Amino acid sequence: MDHQRQALRMGGAVIAFAILLRLFAFTFSAARDIFQETEWLSLAVFLQTGRVVRYPHAQKEPPEATQPTRPPQPQPPIAQPVFSETDLEKVDLINDSGYKLDLEPLLTTALSWDLTDGQPAVLILHTHATEAYTPSTGAEYAASGDYRTLDAHYNMVSVGEEVARILRDGGVEVIHDKTYHDYPSYNGSYGNARNTIAAYLEQYPSIRMVLDIHRDAAAMSSGGQLNTSATVGGQPSAQIMVVIGTDASGNYHPNWRENLALALKLSAQLERENPGITRPIHLRPERFNMDMTVGSLLVEVGAAGDTHEEAMLAANALARAVLSLAKGTSQ
């Protein structure tokens, strides 16, 4: 009698299992995806004996580590941007030069260049390369002075390298000079940088744009450092300010209006892509080496009160705005 009940139980279980397989139309490979090999063994034992037995799972090989997916390489736009009088509403200017200006023709006049012709087109350097930002968790550095460091991972060299990377990915040939013009002595930084610029311009006459990348600094009444605030891609970013030198101090600088025209276009494009990212363009009496070639800009990426992470995000935005102008502009 016991053997008869056991046989009935075995037969019923087999029939039920067969119906279940037919009902769900599992193939062997599909079923194996749901039941591990050890689970099949446990099921077979249960059908034969009615006992539940758990077998230890076999250890699987861990998946190979994969590199994070890199964002698509940016490409310069086919269409050349067009600027109009309404774009002046997006751009502010602090004029310490004493000159009276008509900004509309400077902004709207076409920019005729192509930074993607395969020749070195952009020179990036840092008159004050050791400038750095407020340390944050995971971004601490050995200071060489107040908000300064020789660590190229956290000073202006890193910011310039981010700009260079994005431009290169977009098809622009870039020379990034990483010389510490302000070390060991801060005095003479601009003279040192002038020699560097002159050497590159002589070697590469194809250079059309020179970016001297700094960060701003100003002590606040509260005792802290000036910090800026913007948003790029939903993330907190530093702001960007373009400084333009003139001949108001009496030094020879015949092309400063062309540089101002470029600064207006770049600031307007930055505002189109990331509203609120720019601070007012600062027109100054001094030259800051911008007399050496048309297309020279001094760019302040954030301030000492910002974090390195915020500055890097602003640098990314700066580079993408330059790429938008890489084929020139239309009128």
Side-chain angles (χ1 to χ4, degrees):
M1 197 63 161
D2 290 338
H3 291 295
Q4 185 177 8
R5 282 199 298 267
Q6 184 176 4
L8 289 173
R9 186 175 63 186
M10 283 282 296
V14 170
I15 292 172
F17 184 65
I19 293 173
L20 183 63
L21 287 179
R22 181 174 293 276
L23 179 63
F24 289 97
F26 282 146
T27 63
F28 174 76
S29 60
R32 189 173 57 187
D33 289 341
I34 297 177
F35 297 102
Q36 300 295 327
E37 183 180 22
T38 53
E39 292 171 332
W40 279 105
L41 293 174
S42 297
L43 178 60
V45 171
F46 172 77
L47 291 175
Q48 293 177 6
T49 66
R51 293 184 293 114
V52 177
V53 178
R54 296 295 183 191
Y55 287 88
H57 288 285
Q59 295 296 318
K60 295 183 177 181
E61 291 293 328
E64 293 184 4
T66 58
Q67 296 295 325
T69 303
R70 189 172 181 180
Q73 293 185 349
Q75 297 295 327
I78 297 176
Q80 297 174 318
V82 179
F83 297 103
S84 66
E85 182 181 5
T86 57
D87 288 297
L88 286 176
E89 299 173 3
K90 306 182 182 74
V91 179
D92 293 324
L93 179 90
I94 297 174
N95 185 356
D96 287 334
S97 69
Y99 288 113
K100 293 183 179 180
L101 300 168
D102 184 0
L103 298 181
E104 182 183 350
L106 293 174
L107 174 64
T108 59
T109 299
L111 174 64
S112 299
W113 70 9
D114 184 359
L115 304 181
T116 65
D117 61 2
Q119 302 183 75
V122 177
L123 169 63
I124 297 174
L125 76 154
H126 313 282
T127 296
H128 299 149
T130 66
E131 290 176 334
Y133 300 89
T134 296
S136 58
T137 302
E140 299 88 355
Y141 54 80
S144 62
D146 291 340
Y147 302 97
R148 293 180 181 276
T149 182
L150 297 176
D151 189 340
H153 293 94
Y154 296 108
N155 60 23
M156 301 316 300
V157 172
S158 65
V159 177
E161 190 59 26
E162 177 67 3
V163 176
R165 181 184 71 82
I166 297 296
L167 292 181
R168 289 172 183 141
D169 285 349
V172 176
E173 289 294 321
V174 179
I175 298 170
H176 182 199
D177 182 84
K178 303 175 184 179
T179 303
Y180 284 23
H181 298 103
D182 58 338
Y183 186 83
S185 174
Y186 185 83
N187 296 330
S189 300
Y190 277 98
N192 296 336
R194 191 174 187 87
N195 293 334
T196 294
I197 296 170
Y200 280 116
L201 291 177
E202 182 178 1
Q203 184 175 359
Y204 302 102
S206 58
I207 291 173
R208 308 298 301 276
M209 187 180 206
V210 177
L211 296 175
D212 187 1
I213 299 181
H214 299 240
R215 62 105 176 98
D216 200 3
M220 307 300 288
S221 58
S222 61
Q225 276 287 328
L226 169 71
N227 68 290
T228 65
S229 178
T231 301
V232 172
Q235 300 297 317
S237 165
Q239 288 182 303
I240 295 168
M241 178 174 69
V242 182
V243 177
I244 295 296
T246 69
D247 58 2
S249 62
N251 290 316
Y252 180 76
H253 188 359
N255 301 315
W256 65 266
R257 287 177 178 82
E258 286 87 343
N259 291 343
L260 176 57
L262 177 58
L264 289 167
K265 292 176 174 65
L266 179 60
S267 294
Q269 187 63 34
L270 278 163
E271 284 296 321
R272 284 181 176 182
E273 298 177 3
N274 299 283
I277 196 171
T278 64
R279 298 168 63 197
I281 297 170
H282 198 174
L283 195 65
R284 298 278 297 275
E286 304 85 0
R287 294 186 304 183
F288 301 112
N289 291 331
M290 283 180 271
D291 60 299
M292 302 187 70
T293 182
V294 175
S296 293
L297 303 176
L298 191 158
V299 183
E300 306 270 12
V301 178
D306 296 318
T307 67
H308 183 258
E309 294 87 348
E310 292 166 340
M312 292 294 279
L313 198 58
N316 191 291
L318 170 63
R320 294 185 185 279
V322 172
L323 279 182
S324 296
L325 305 179
K327 293 285 189 180
T329 66
S330 298
Q331 191 171 18

